[in-house]
Amino acid sequence: MSDRSATVGSEAELGGMNNTQEEEQLDEVRCASFNQDFTSLCVGTVNGYQIYDLAKSDELQLQCHNRSGSKGQSAVSNCFIVQRLYSSSLVAVVSEDHPRKLCVNHFKKNSHICSYTYLTSILNVLLNREVCSPCLVLQLLVVVYLVVQLLVVVYLVLQLLVVVYLVLQLLVVVYLVLQLLIVLYLVLQLLIVVLCTSFYSCYLM
């Protein structure tokens, strides 16, 4: 009996440790952020996200507790970005399960409003009353690359314009040389006429 009691006791202790570890895992915080006017705190966890009201300085009042296993279309797990739009009911959420997908939820109605999928992972989400702007991985490098490519194209166009200018200058030089040759030809013709006239005059005399 004593051995059986010890076994049951050890199993109970192990069960309690497993439950504690599971609770710690469920409560593991992935992110925390304030809204734009610092009136609420958004906390992202492994199993969803919570929104706390900061109207009272002495305590946190839970406004929303979204869990991945709960009913509703807005349930999201592994939240590493949670941003609330001021004091409204709109929340922008990004999950580690889908890091390229931005979800916009209505937490009071527990409903999903819309979602956007991007080419690269989302690093952060910036909100104001008019714009929702996600910061994406390598987007800055892509922009820099495109700017460099644009500068290269501009440089090549300038080089082409310089070549065209030099060709035009060469054509002008060729034109001037031809004009000079024409003048020389006319001078020679004039000299020939003068010589012929002089010779003819001398012959007549």
Side-chain angles (χ1 to χ4, degrees):
M1 289 293 292
S2 60
D3 294 338
R4 182 174 180 79
S5 300
T7 303
V8 172
S10 61
E11 290 178 354
E13 291 177 357
L14 290 174
M17 291 176 62
N18 291 333
N19 291 333
T20 304
Q21 291 176 357
E22 184 177 359
E23 290 176 357
E24 290 178 354
Q25 184 179 5
L26 292 176
D27 295 333
E28 182 181 351
V29 175
R30 293 300 178 89
C31 67
S33 62
F34 295 97
N35 63 340
Q36 290 81 4
D37 53 7
F38 297 96
T39 57
S40 64
L41 174 65
C42 302
V43 179
T45 64
V46 175
N47 202 36
Y49 62 88
Q50 296 88 39
I51 299 177
Y52 297 92
D53 186 12
L54 302 179
K56 297 181 180 180
S57 59
D58 56 343
E59 64 178 352
L60 295 177
Q61 183 179 359
L62 183 62
Q63 285 187 312
C64 169
H65 190 186
N66 184 286
R67 301 181 67 87
S68 59
S70 60
K71 295 181 179 180
Q73 298 178 350
S74 65
V76 183
S77 61
N78 293 322
C79 302
F80 73 99
I81 296 176
V82 182
Q83 293 285 347
R84 181 183 183 185
L85 178 60
Y86 288 93
S87 298
S88 68
S89 302
L90 299 181
V91 181
V93 183
V94 182
S95 170
E96 291 181 350
D97 299 333
H98 304 283
R100 298 187 295 110
K101 183 177 181 180
L102 171 63
C103 299
V104 180
N105 298 334
H106 191 292
F107 73 85
K108 289 185 178 179
K109 294 182 179 179
N110 193 22
S111 61
H112 175 72
I113 297 176
C114 61
S115 61
Y116 302 93
T117 303
Y118 300 92
L119 295 177
T120 58
S121 299
I122 301 173
L123 296 177
N124 195 8
V125 177
L126 303 177
L127 299 175
N128 61 26
R129 298 188 188 277
E130 296 180 356
V131 179
C132 174
S133 176
C135 301
L136 307 178
V137 175
L138 296 179
Q139 289 296 96
L140 180 59
L141 294 179
V142 170
V143 171
V144 172
Y145 173 76
L146 293 177
V147 170
V148 171
Q149 292 294 320
L150 180 61
L151 291 176
V152 169
V153 171
V154 172
Y155 173 76
L156 293 176
V157 170
L158 291 175
Q159 292 294 321
L160 181 61
L161 291 176
V162 170
V163 171
V164 171
Y165 172 76
L166 293 176
V167 171
L168 290 175
Q169 291 293 321
L170 181 61
L171 292 176
V172 170
V173 172
V174 171
Y175 173 77
L176 293 175
V177 170
L178 290 175
Q179 291 293 323
L180 181 60
L181 291 174
I182 291 172
V183 170
L184 290 175
Y185 173 76
L186 293 175
V187 170
L188 288 174
Q189 290 291 326
L190 182 60
L191 288 175
I192 291 171
V193 170
V194 170
L195 289 174
C196 290
T197 304
S198 299
F199 180 75
Y200 183 72
S201 299
C202 292
Y203 178 75
L204 290 177
M205 291 177 63

